[in-house]
Amino acid sequence: MIIDSLDNSSFYEKLNPLFKKAFDFLRETNLTSLENGRIELQGDDLFLIISDSSLKQKEDAKLEVHNQYIDIQVPVTKQESYGWSARSSLTHAIHEFDQEKDIQFFYDPVDSYFNLPPKHFVIFFPQDAHAPCIGEGVVKKIVVKVRNLE
């Protein structure tokens, strides 16, 4: 997991060949003006999902993991809180991994929490279990799905 400001995103572009295109878009676009939906930057290898997400209490947020995609998450309109745990520590799956949706949820407790303000991002790799959308109210957010090329 990586947490930083969009101003520093160029430091991470070498971690995946698709990161530069993703971060260029995030830095050069008025994020508040984006309509909810999907924007393809490079087909199914690199796309954004823009949504107004209802925030929930910590105890209602379930850990999730992905295999095919790395998530770059950016809250746009307000701070969002997240939970994090190492995927390797999870033992209580809610269901089997859904290959089609590239997701699996877990009942395991969260190891740590952090807050992410607008103009900042978090990168969740496949080894990171994360519980997004913690807080009160609704947040406009962007989830960039980046094909895991490893």
Side-chain angles (χ1 to χ4, degrees), residues 79 89 149:
Q79 176 177 282
S89 71
L149 300 174

Side-chain angles (χ1 to χ4, degrees), residues 13-122:
E13 292 175 355
K14 294 180 182 176
L15 296 176
N16 181 296
L18 299 169
F19 278 8
K20 180 172 179 13
K21 186 179 270 190
F23 283 124
D24 284 349
F25 181 89
L26 292 170
R27 285 189 306 263
E28 296 167 4
T29 303
N30 178 352
L31 302 180
T32 58
S33 70
L34 293 175
E35 298 289 328
N36 288 350
R38 178 177 163 139
I39 297 174
E40 291 186 7
L41 299 180
Q42 193 168 312
D44 286 337
D45 288 340
L46 179 63
F47 60 92
L48 290 78
I49 300 168
I50 300 102
S51 65
D52 292 320
S53 297
S54 296
L55 300 177
K56 53 191 162 256
Q57 299 300 308
K58 286 181 179 179
E59 58 272 8
D60 297 324
K62 300 290 184 245
L63 288 163
E64 63 184 68
V65 298
H66 310 291
N67 290 341
Q68 296 177 30
Y69 288 95
I70 298 164
D71 278 5
I72 302 173
Q73 299 201 15
V74 181
V76 176
T77 55
K78 66 187 284 185
Q79 176 177 282
E80 179 180 357
S81 297
Y82 296 80
W84 177 90
S85 293
R87 182 179 186 162
S88 60
S89 71
L90 303 180
T91 58
H92 297 94
I94 294 173
H95 54 72
E96 294 297 315
F97 193 89
D98 185 329
Q99 297 290 346
E100 185 177 320
K101 294 182 181 178
D102 189 42
I103 198 163
Q104 185 176 25
F105 292 96
F106 291 83
Y107 288 118
D108 294 75
V110 169
D111 288 337
S112 62
Y113 292 93
F114 63 93
N115 299 322
L116 193 66
K119 298 185 181 174
H120 288 71
F121 67 90
V122 58

